[in-house]
Amino acid sequence: MPGMAAILRLAALALLLAFLLTPQSFAPLFAPLTQYGAPPIYDQGNLLTLALAHLGTVCCAAAASTLVAVGLGILVTRPSGAQFLPLSRTLVNIGQTFPPVAVLAVTVPLVGFGEKPTLIALFAYGLLPIFENTIVGLQTCPAAVLEAASGMGMSARQRLLSVELPLALPLILEGIRLSLVINVGTATIGSTVAAKGLGEVIIAGLLSNNNAFILQGGLVTGLMAILLYDALAGLERRICRTAHLD
Amino acid sequence: MISLENLTKQYGATAVVDGVSMVIERNSITVIVGTSGSGKSTLLRMINRLVEPTRGRVLIDGADTTGEPAHLLRRRIGYVIQGYGLFPHRTVAENIATVPRLLGWDEARIRIRVAGLLSVFQLDPGAYAHAFPHQLSGGQQQRVGVARALAAEPAVLLMDEPFGALDPIIRAKAQDDLLDIQRRFGTTILLVTHDMDEAFRLGDRVAVMSHGRLLQYDRPAVLLTRPADPFVSRMTGISDRAMRLLSLTTAGEAALPGASDGPAVAASASLREVLSELMWCGAESAAVMDADGTRRGRLTIAAILARGRPG
Ligand SMILES: Nc1ncnc2c1ncn2[C@@H]1O[C@H](COP(=O)(O)OP(=O)(O)O)[C@@H](O)[C@H]1O
Ligand SMILES: [Mg+2]
């Protein structure tokens, strides 16, 4: 079965690359979806450039979410920061429940159109899974292990860096992966405020009533999400195996 | 030498350790026994300051333990807990090297020390140095836990129910090993248990705790023959106290001059074991032999029974 999965994965990657590098060769496939001789392949920009910009935005937002969520997760699991747990949880939950579109509406007047409001929306939307997983990872370190670490004479900082974070790492990575994958899809809304990304393709399709564009934007986004999820899961397994955290 | 002076820990209004004063001799094994919740672990954890006392103080070789940061103090004190708390993401060798690394020993010295400890604890370095804790049996994990605690050659070793998770046969072996280790390194050991047999077997002195208070602190034989409190006699067990008393003396210590045609017993055997052997063989006396095979003397049933009486 792992053989089968690997083949599917490779096929998906090959399909994605082929489409991004030579979109015109797929024109016959998409032609039936168009009407009145409209272009079957998105022609208002380079698909590869858009996909890379999309991925770049998502990764920047994820990096910021990771920094803040892991930092906050560490803070609220220290005895001195425990009092901030309810507040932090509320804030992070708002970040997730407040619709990203609404975040755009609020931030555009403040920071203008383009990447910035999108980054802020994705950042806020991606905090929750990383934050919660960091907390669970840190809180489920076995009590005896923590007691031994302190008993051996590790300072609080040494204990955090050499015991708690390594043991929490698998869960933290899982949180980052969830956050990234959710945001690959969510990032399409950035195009409503003129951020470069695959949302552009979908919006162009909606505006010109071109189903081929909509499908292309959706397919590329979906394939990227699936492949990213898969790749990160593999990376996670490898990191955990070399660190013997399984 | 460790001195506890009026050591008290309160949580809210309850004193879980209540005015405990005792002096722990250097190079000895002191065992703290008591029922669950009597404050044994809290007492132990105040010595390495994992718990800060509400009142009272701890002196190690005359120096107050609050004189340095707690984490530096702990690097000089070995600590073994039930469940061991081995670091699951680190190899056996890395686990054992924890405190030497914290102390900044150079790698060559650490390597030699780890190899030495692995062999003392009967863990073949080839097979186990690079194994991970989850690959070890319970008995092996326990030994790694003790090896890790002893790695930086601490003068004091604190052990909180270190054998609690072992089955009886492995536990007996681990107890023997601990006695060996204590003799070999001269470590001052303070061990917590709720198992009276373990206390009698290991302790040069035994402290009995109940509800946070130290009821009696003495040699095991004194706890049996002159209990300070009804609770102490209940803890030490009334029904088999004579047998317990016999188990505290070795044949070598009790041997009388003379020969015997009865069974040969080792000088290191306890009188309880010798008596059992004599009953089993239907003999009146036994020949006590040293480890090297020379005759130490003899023991009669009457002489053994006399040793099982108080006073
Ligand atoms: N951090 C704490 N907060 C409140 N009560 C505690 C704490 N630690 C221990 N206790 C209480 O102190 C008592 C003694 O605990 P402990 O020293 O662990 O006993 P033992 O090791 O003899 O079983 C118990 O009743 C326990 O519930
Ligand atoms: Mg306890």
Side-chain angles (χ1 to χ4, degrees):
Chain A
M1 260 7 247
M4 190 67 189
I7 291 169
L8 277 176
R9 205 170 290 153
L10 271 178
L13 182 63
L15 183 67
L16 180 65
L17 289 177
F19 183 71
L20 289 178
L21 293 170
T22 62
Q24 287 308 329
S25 55
F26 290 78
L29 273 175
F30 287 99
L33 294 171
T34 58
Q35 290 171 306
Y36 315 119
I41 298 293
Y42 183 67
D43 56 356
Q44 298 162 26
N46 182 319
L47 279 170
L48 182 62
T49 314
L50 288 180
L52 290 177
H54 190 97
L55 206 58
T57 308
V58 170
C59 288
C60 281
S65 301
T66 301
L67 227 61
V68 171
V70 172
L72 213 52
I74 290 172
L75 175 75
V76 300
T77 49
R78 303 305 97 187
S80 54
Q83 58 195 24
F84 299 113
L85 177 59
L87 176 67
S88 310
R89 197 163 251 159
T90 308
L91 286 176
V92 167
N93 269 301
I94 290 174
Q96 171 91 32
T97 44
F98 207 67
V101 179
V103 176
L104 293 183
V106 172
T107 50
V108 164
L110 299 174
V111 299
F113 284 89
E115 311 291 326
K116 279 188 200 156
T118 314
L119 281 173
I120 293 171
L122 295 183
F123 160 78
Y125 203 51
L127 284 172
L128 184 73
I130 307 178
F131 177 72
E132 286 299 332
N133 274 27
T134 302
I135 290 181
V136 173
L138 290 173
Q139 283 178 341
T140 52
C141 284
V145 172
L146 298 183
E147 165 112 2
S150 296
M152 299 286 109
M154 288 187 189
S155 63
R157 182 190 166 80
Q158 286 167 329
R159 191 177 91 161
L160 173 69
L161 293 179
S162 60
V163 179
E164 295 177 71
L165 282 177
L167 292 182
L169 188 63
L171 274 173
I172 296 177
L173 289 176
E174 189 187 293
I176 296 173
R177 172 165 51 110
L178 286 176
S179 164
L180 264 170
V181 168
I182 293 170
N183 273 346
V184 168
T186 312
T188 50
I189 62 156
S191 305
T192 58
V193 293
K196 281 185 91 55
L198 291 164
E200 241 178 85
V201 183
I202 297 173
I203 290 172
L206 290 170
L207 290 178
S208 61
N209 205 10
N210 184 335
N211 288 331
F213 287 7
I214 299 176
L215 189 63
Q216 281 155 36
L219 270 179
V220 172
T221 310
L223 275 177
M224 273 187 2
I226 291 171
L227 285 167
L228 197 62
Y229 185 87
D230 239 33
L232 290 173
L235 188 70
E236 238 172 86
R237 274 196 302 275
R238 167 147 329 153
I239 289 176
C240 296
R241 201 164 337 112
T242 43
H244 288 271
L245 294 168
D246 34 17
Chain B
M1 192 179 75
I2 307 172
S3 309
L4 312 185
E5 293 181 355
N6 191 30
L7 211 51
T8 300
K9 180 65 189 180
Q10 280 179 323
Y11 288 113
T14 32
V16 299
V17 171
D18 192 358
V20 171
S21 297
M22 62 194 284
V23 172
I24 292 139
E25 294 299 330
R26 202 190 271 267
N27 300 347
S28 68
I29 300 185
T30 299
V31 178
I32 302 171
V33 283
T35 48
S36 172
S38 54
K40 309 179 294 291
S41 297
T42 306
L43 181 67
L44 200 71
R45 289 156 53 91
M46 282 196 278
I47 295 173
N48 65 4
R49 292 179 57 199
L50 283 171
V51 171
E52 293 291 349
T54 310
R55 268 193 303 285
R57 53 183 200 156
V58 178
L59 306 175
I60 296 182
D61 292 331
D64 194 315
T65 51
T66 53
E68 64 184 315
H71 66 280
L72 299 183
L73 169 75
R74 289 182 205 130
R75 293 177 191 174
R76 299 192 289 113
I77 300 178
Y79 188 47
V80 179
I81 49 178
Q82 183 166 16
Y84 327 126
L86 300 180
F87 303 132
H89 59 304
R90 294 196 175 168
T91 63
V92 166
E94 288 165 349
N95 264 283
I96 295 176
T98 303
V99 185
R101 288 240 156 81
L102 289 172
L103 291 172
W105 288 19
D106 64 62
E107 281 305 311
R109 184 175 172 205
I110 292 177
R111 211 164 329 110
I112 292 168
R113 180 65 179 159
V114 169
L117 282 166
L118 284 172
S119 82
V120 167
F121 285 91
Q122 302 141 47
L123 292 159
D124 172 21
Y128 294 112
H130 302 293
F132 284 84
H134 73 266
Q135 297 169 315
L136 306 182
S137 70
Q140 289 167 334
Q141 288 181 10
Q142 198 271 336
R143 279 180 273 158
V144 173
V146 181
R148 180 176 66 173
L150 291 174
E153 297 163 358
V156 176
L157 176 61
L158 308 178
M159 309 180 90
D160 195 345
E161 312 216 8
F163 309 125
L166 300 178
D167 65 58
I169 292 177
I170 304 208
R171 186 183 315 163
K173 166 92 168 71
Q175 290 166 342
D176 284 341
D177 289 347
L178 186 70
L179 291 168
D180 264 359
I181 297 288
Q182 199 276 331
R183 271 179 227 121
R184 187 194 291 240
F185 297 124
T187 317
T188 305
I189 298 178
L190 193 56
L191 182 145
V192 161
T193 180
H194 58 253
D195 175 356
M196 207 63 200
D197 285 320
E198 185 163 282
F200 273 56
R201 179 155 178 195
L202 297 174
D204 296 310
R205 282 169 161 256
V206 174
V208 182
M209 284 188 73
S210 173
H211 298 293
R213 301 175 64 86
L214 178 62
L215 296 183
Q216 189 167 11
Y217 173 46
D218 225 316
R219 285 179 294 111
V222 178
L223 292 188
L224 281 168
T225 53
R226 277 175 278 144
D229 184 287
F231 180 82
V232 176
S233 20
R234 255 183 290 135
M235 274 300 285
T236 54
I238 294 178
S239 59
D240 61 349
R241 55 192 171 182
M243 298 313 276
R244 275 200 201 272
L245 199 51
L246 289 184
S247 68
L248 292 173
T249 309
T250 64
E253 290 162 354
L256 306 167
S260 161
D261 52 6
V265 295
S268 60
S270 73
L271 291 185
R272 179 181 183 153
E273 289 164 329
V274 177
L275 181 62
S276 168
E277 181 64 16
L278 289 175
M279 286 159 72
W280 192 256
C281 300
E284 279 301 313
S285 70
V288 180
M289 312 297 278
D290 274 325
D292 59 11
T294 58
R295 183 178 296 272
R296 174 82 73 93
R298 68 182 197 126
L299 270 175
T300 60
I301 285 185
I304 294 173
L305 295 185
R307 288 267 187 169
R309 285 191 283 274

